Amino acid sequence: MDITKYSARMLIADLSERRVSAEGVMRATLERIGQVNGAVNAIVALRDEEALLAEARAIDAGPIRGALHGVPVAVKDLVNVAGVVSSQGSPLFDGFVPETDDLIAARMRAAGAILIGKTNTPEFGLGSHTFNPVYGATRNPYDAARTCGGSSGGAAVALATGMVTLADGSDMMGSLRNPAAWNNVYGFRPSWGLVPSDPVGDSFLHQLSTLGPMARSPEDIGLLLDVIAGFDSRLPLNAPHGSVSPVEPLDLTGMRIGWLADWGGAFPMEAGILDLCETALGVFGQLGAHIERIPPPFDAERLWDSWITLRSWSVASGLEPLSQNRDALKDSAQWELDWGLALSAMQVHQASVVRSDWFRKAVEVFDRYDALILPAAQVWPFDVDLPYPTEISGRAMDTYHRWMHVTVPVSLIGLPCLAVPAGFGGQGLPMGLQLFGPRGSDARLLSIGAACHAATEWPQRRPALQ
């Protein structure tokens, strides 16, 4: 069997039992990258082949190193990896080679992974479309004329095309969920605080963005989550983590699932998305769950106003050291910087009050439903040369990111959410669902996803790239 089609669980088992060698896996990985990466541009800053093979041989010659023993992993290019160019997609950092790993890279390396290079991302991760002036655009493997989404677009494409079996991503406004949906793979946004960020700068105020795993199955998601999650005493709001692996399919009989569709019309959708998502919901029903379409539990505009205030405050806090180089930043980064720096403390407080109101209301909703579902995106993958959609079904978008409004209910209050493949639309393009639950329901959501995966196995339908 082609090693690049293995699940991570199969690959790790074979590596750990010495049925395959790390060197053999590395050779197969590099061969696959050579075959397909030129068409999609997902993996960037790839390390030297001989250095990678030497590292693989050293692993073969030594003891089992951990849960990811010998597995090749390309790390999202928002994460510093020692000895590897880490540009964040920005000309300001082009050629920057850090001397130390960021926390998530260090944890994967300590677990035995071989960090082979980077996966492409938008500049500073801003925008759900992976393009930047350093490496260019990453293309959708199901239609190279279209975007792969973002900001974890390179990671999703690398998974979809078999260049890696596991990938890390990050998610503030759908950056794991959107590319997972558009590339027919799984992406998991964990409960906020479960996967720690690096213990630098402020560790108290900003609770929107999180790191998380991506893979071709919920079982493989669980394997990587167990490596990257866990307590760090240097972070005050970091949550403890009990192992979720092995992730096993859950019996969905009698489960109550709320379908939020387009949030009562507040989230405009391109034609065909809701129809495909409702067809995908039928899988949950066939497995015994009770699906109920429910009205919007909270006002969408209040969510949005709270979101753009807290998001811009957070993003501007990170970009502020670069404000003297404002003209070197892309337009969306300039927008976030200008908006965020103009906010008052009371505006931020009032936005957080709305966030708190939504959190309390969500708790009430989860008293009645085991999980909720929304589409993972409001548009199909669009032209790769278009920076972002400016309208959806005739409705104008008033910001560069309003077209991802559908991800805000989850992001605003740090809920765990699994992006689940929903199949393919009329043009052969993938779409996905957001399956989410209350904070702390991470393991349960993965088990629900595993049940659906066993019934569909959508990601195993690899795009027809040579």
Side-chain angles (χ1 to χ4, degrees):
M1 182 177 176
D2 181 356
I3 287 176
T4 68
K5 293 183 178 180
Y6 277 26
S7 68
R9 182 162 63 177
M10 291 169 57
L11 185 62
I12 291 166
D14 279 2
L15 282 163
S16 298
E17 296 296 326
R18 312 287 191 179
R19 290 189 291 269
V20 298
S21 68
E23 181 180 2
V25 171
M26 183 61 68
R27 289 189 184 279
T29 298
L30 293 174
E31 181 180 357
R32 183 63 181 166
I33 291 171
Q35 289 172 341
V36 303
N37 196 52
V40 291
N41 190 36
I43 292 181
V44 297
L46 184 66
R47 291 173 56 200
D48 175 73
E49 178 176 343
E50 288 307 314
L52 289 171
L53 291 172
E55 186 171 342
R57 285 191 289 269
I59 283 182
D60 287 330
I64 301 301
R65 295 195 180 185
L68 302 182
H69 176 79
V71 176
V73 176
V75 181
K76 185 173 178 179
D77 197 25
L78 298 184
V79 175
N80 284 344
V81 174
V84 179
V85 174
S86 300
S87 73
Q88 301 184 61
S90 169
L92 296 175
F93 295 97
D94 188 10
F96 169 63
V97 179
E99 296 181 357
T100 59
D101 289 333
D102 280 354
L103 181 59
I104 188 173
R107 287 187 169 184
M108 290 189 287
R109 195 191 295 275
I114 303 177
L115 307 185
I116 65 173
K118 295 302 198 73
T119 54
N120 205 19
T121 183
E123 184 178 342
F124 299 119
L126 296 176
S128 290
H129 175 15
T130 299
F131 70 99
N132 63 66
V134 177
Y135 295 116
T138 300
R139 296 175 178 271
N140 193 300
Y142 291 93
D143 183 344
R146 297 176 185 263
T147 177
C148 64
S151 61
S152 307
V157 173
L159 285 166
T161 55
M163 290 189 278
V164 294
T165 57
L166 294 171
D168 69 292
S170 57
D171 190 301
M172 179 180 270
M173 194 178 177
S175 286
L176 278 163
R177 293 163 279 165
N178 155 288
W182 283 356
N183 293 279
N184 190 36
V185 297
Y186 289 88
F188 188 60
R189 180 191 165 101
S191 294
W192 192 87
L194 192 64
V195 177
S197 58
D198 277 77
V200 295
D202 174 72
S203 297
F204 283 91
L205 294 176
H206 301 290
Q207 298 187 40
L208 300 182
S209 183
T210 181
L211 303 164
M214 304 179 74
R216 293 192 292 266
S217 73
E219 292 86 349
D220 287 354
I221 290 268
L223 290 171
L224 185 53
L225 182 63
D226 283 345
V227 169
I228 63 177
F231 183 70
D232 187 307
S233 61
R234 299 168 294 177
L235 295 167
L237 304 178
N238 185 206
H241 173 68
S243 176
V244 300
S245 294
V247 173
E248 300 291 348
L250 189 67
D251 182 357
L252 305 191
T253 302
M255 183 170 290
R256 301 162 299 167
I257 295 179
W259 166 230
L260 288 158
D262 58 0
W263 206 270
F267 304 152
M269 300 277 170
E270 285 190 340
I273 290 177
L274 288 179
D275 291 341
L276 180 64
C277 289
E278 287 175 355
T279 298
L281 284 174
V283 175
F284 291 82
Q286 292 163 13
L287 294 172
H290 174 68
I291 312 297
E292 180 182 343
R293 184 162 182 159
I294 62 175
F298 202 84
D299 182 73
E301 285 305 305
R302 290 186 70 204
L303 292 177
W304 180 253
D305 290 343
S306 172
W307 174 255
I308 60 170
T309 297
L310 294 172
R311 174 188 163 93
S312 292
W313 177 53
S314 179
V315 172
S317 297
L319 292 176
E320 192 277 334
L322 304 177
S323 58
Q324 298 303 314
N325 296 299
R326 184 182 183 280
D327 291 343
L329 305 176
K330 72 175 184 177
D331 58 352
S332 52
Q334 293 181 25
W335 187 93
E336 296 284 6
L337 190 61
D338 293 344
W339 188 278
L341 292 179
L343 292 168
S344 71
M346 286 308 298
Q347 285 176 299
V348 172
H349 168 74
Q350 289 159 3
S352 195
V353 169
V354 174
R355 167 170 59 180
S356 302
D357 288 344
W358 166 225
F359 184 85
R360 287 185 286 268
K361 182 62 178 179
V363 170
E364 294 178 9
V365 176
F366 288 124
D367 284 340
R368 301 192 301 273
Y369 297 96
D370 296 288
L372 302 177
I373 291 181
L374 279 165
Q378 294 169 236
V379 298
W380 297 100
F382 51 84
D383 189 326
V384 72
D385 294 322
L386 181 70
Y388 48 82
T390 57
E391 61 88 25
I392 301 176
S393 299
R395 191 182 305 183
M397 301 289 101
D398 55 1
T399 71
Y400 79 95
H401 52 5
R402 171 73 89 147
W403 61 279
M404 286 297 292
H405 195 170
V406 73
T407 67
V408 167
V410 167
S411 295
L412 188 59
I413 54 176
L415 301 179
C417 181
L418 180 65
V420 178
F424 297 82
Q427 294 181 296
L429 298 171
M431 184 50 65
L433 303 170
Q434 297 180 79
L435 173 70
F436 60 104
R439 284 209 191 190
S441 63
D442 303 69
R444 183 174 175 83
L445 288 173
L446 290 176
S447 291
I448 295 171
C452 294
H453 179 72
T456 59
E457 293 193 337
W458 284 120
Q460 279 56 54
R461 303 187 186 192
R462 180 180 282 182
L465 285 178
Q466 299 302 317

